[in-house]
Amino acid sequence: MTLADNPLTSSGTVPRQSVVASMALGLIDFAADRGADRTALLKPVGLDGRTEEINRRVPLDRYAAMFRLAARQCDDPALAVHFAEATNFADLSIVGLLGYASETMRDALDQLNRFGRLVTDIAVTGPARFVLTREADGLWLTDHRIDDPLFPELTESTFVRMVVGTRQFGDTPYASLAEVTHQDHGQGAELARALGVPVRFGAARNAMRVSEAWQTHRIALYPRYAFALFCAHADTLLAELDAARSVAGQVERAVLPVLHTGTVTAEGVARQLGLSGQGLYRALRAEGTTFEDLLADLRHRFARGYLEQGRASLNEIAYLLGYSDVSAFSRAFKRREGVAPGPWRPAHPNN
């Protein structure tokens, strides 16, 4: 049985990129209250709405498809914004409980980086998803998730949840400007309203310029004893998630940070995962794939994403994907698409 045949599971292998089912069920409840067809929304993610499903995993691409179906059924292009505004993160995930039990907002961000995969287990460009950097115009919080599959609703709901969730702790300002890589498709005014700041669409990153003061603003809605209990439970869930993740998913996570070097080998990845070369080969074969196929698929997925976004040259894309030169990149891309990346790009813009 392949991952495609078994996209959801309460034990054993889980999808390479996934969302905890409680988030999907929360969205379904929210949309159904606004007129959406609950049964139709459950179908794409393979759930039936039972309470005991809350800790199962939903493949990210199916969650994204369900999100868009819900938006169409509710006739609401800003559904992601409204969902994040109206729901309490602590009602949907233990990560929300940990945030509310943290001493300060900066501590809550640290917990989000530590345990965020329990909510959304996705690829990121670096060791942490959310990174603070001081720039010439202030302190910026950047979301380093890799947007593949393209899922702008996840960016919007994440940022709105961060901003709206802090308002219950006082008037300390959180953000003064937001940047997102996607375009305004009718939800822009609502996103800016919910965030309370201007939003730059079509930017080079997903980020918010945040106040220095928010870092030390106190939260601590729950006692330290509760925080320790939440952490212990979250550690257990994280260990279970790591144990259940597919070997293919582990390979992708190992490859992503060094993909641009062009020196990725099966032997090196096997050592990183604590396997022999033959052990890795057998594990991937049992999942219906090979290291070479995984690497080729990963490069091609990111090639399409970079080309659709239109912000990188062919030379830059070849470098980012670890090809020896742009000719090697073009040949590999043409084998998959039947056309070279140069002619392919204008016909597939990411609008």
Side-chain angles (χ1 to χ4, degrees), residues 85-106:
E85 278 187 300
T87 51
N88 189 322
F89 193 28
D91 291 335
L92 300 173
S93 168
I94 191 171
V95 180
L97 287 170
L98 273 166
Y100 289 158
S102 299
E103 295 239 355
T104 66
M105 291 189 182
R106 177 56 190 268

Side-chain angles (χ1 to χ4, degrees), residues 28-333:
I28 290 169
D29 287 343
F30 179 79
D33 287 344
R34 283 149 185 78
D37 183 337
R38 184 185 300 273
T39 302
L41 295 180
L42 287 166
K43 185 176 180 180
V45 290
L47 298 171
D48 60 22
R50 290 175 294 126
T51 302
E52 54 266 33
E53 291 181 318
I54 60 173
N55 286 321
R56 293 177 68 185
R57 307 298 300 188
V58 173
L60 185 67
D61 57 347
R62 296 196 179 194
Y63 180 61
M66 186 268 285
F67 220 123
R68 287 158 195 160
L69 175 60
R72 291 195 300 272
Q73 290 196 351
C74 293
D75 192 22
D76 183 3
L79 184 69
V81 174
H82 298 147
F83 172 56
E85 278 187 300
T87 51
N88 189 322
F89 193 28
D91 291 335
L92 300 173
S93 168
I94 191 171
V95 180
L97 287 170
L98 273 166
Y100 289 158
S102 299
E103 295 239 355
T104 66
M105 291 189 182
R106 177 56 190 268
D107 292 334
L109 181 66
D110 291 340
Q111 299 309 316
L112 184 59
N113 273 330
R114 179 182 176 187
F115 294 114
R117 288 191 293 116
L118 292 177
V119 182
T120 313
D121 188 22
I122 53 179
V124 299
T125 56
R129 177 176 170 182
F130 300 101
V131 178
L132 288 165
T133 55
R134 284 186 172 82
E135 302 178 13
D137 61 342
L139 183 66
W140 283 85
L141 174 65
T142 302
D143 183 351
H144 286 277
R145 75 179 179 89
I146 297 171
D147 199 10
D148 179 35
L150 294 174
F151 193 2
E153 296 89 348
L154 184 58
T155 299
E156 295 178 357
S157 60
T158 298
F159 282 178
V160 170
R161 208 175 290 283
M162 283 181 168
V163 171
V164 173
T166 64
R167 289 175 182 159
Q168 63 186 290
F169 305 119
D171 294 331
T172 298
Y174 188 96
S176 57
L177 181 64
E179 296 182 342
V180 295
T181 58
H182 59 277
Q183 300 297 330
D184 181 356
H185 291 293
Q187 82 290 12
E190 280 296 278
L191 179 60
R193 177 199 58 76
L195 295 177
V197 301
V199 180
R200 293 175 180 165
F201 288 91
R205 60 181 177 178
N206 294 308
M208 291 188 290
R209 188 174 63 201
V210 297
S211 164
E212 295 274 359
W214 74 268
Q215 295 187 79
T216 55
H217 198 68
R218 284 189 60 79
I219 304 175
L221 287 186
Y222 305 107
R224 291 187 62 82
Y225 176 73
F227 179 79
L229 289 178
F230 295 154
C231 273
H233 183 54
D235 274 325
T236 299
L237 292 174
L238 200 59
E240 291 174 355
L241 178 62
D242 286 336
R245 187 186 296 114
S246 68
V247 175
Q250 295 179 54
V251 169
E252 287 195 359
R253 285 180 177 276
V255 166
L256 280 171
V258 293
L259 184 62
H260 68 281
T261 66
T263 60
V264 179
T265 65
E267 291 75 17
V269 171
R271 285 194 300 271
Q272 188 173 339
L273 299 182
L275 298 170
S276 66
Q278 280 299 310
L280 178 61
Y281 171 78
R282 287 192 295 269
L284 290 176
R285 184 177 62 183
E287 294 180 3
T289 189
T290 67
F291 180 82
E292 291 73 22
D293 286 345
L294 273 178
L295 184 59
D297 288 345
L298 190 65
R299 281 174 157 171
H300 190 69
R301 290 207 317 269
F302 280 95
R304 286 177 60 106
Y306 287 134
L307 290 167
E308 287 170 349
Q309 290 166 7
R311 288 187 289 273
S313 69
L314 296 186
N315 280 315
E316 289 170 332
I317 296 173
Y319 166 76
L320 289 169
L321 299 179
Y323 288 101
S324 58
D325 54 42
V326 72
S327 297
F329 164 51
S330 295
R331 288 193 298 272
F333 190 87

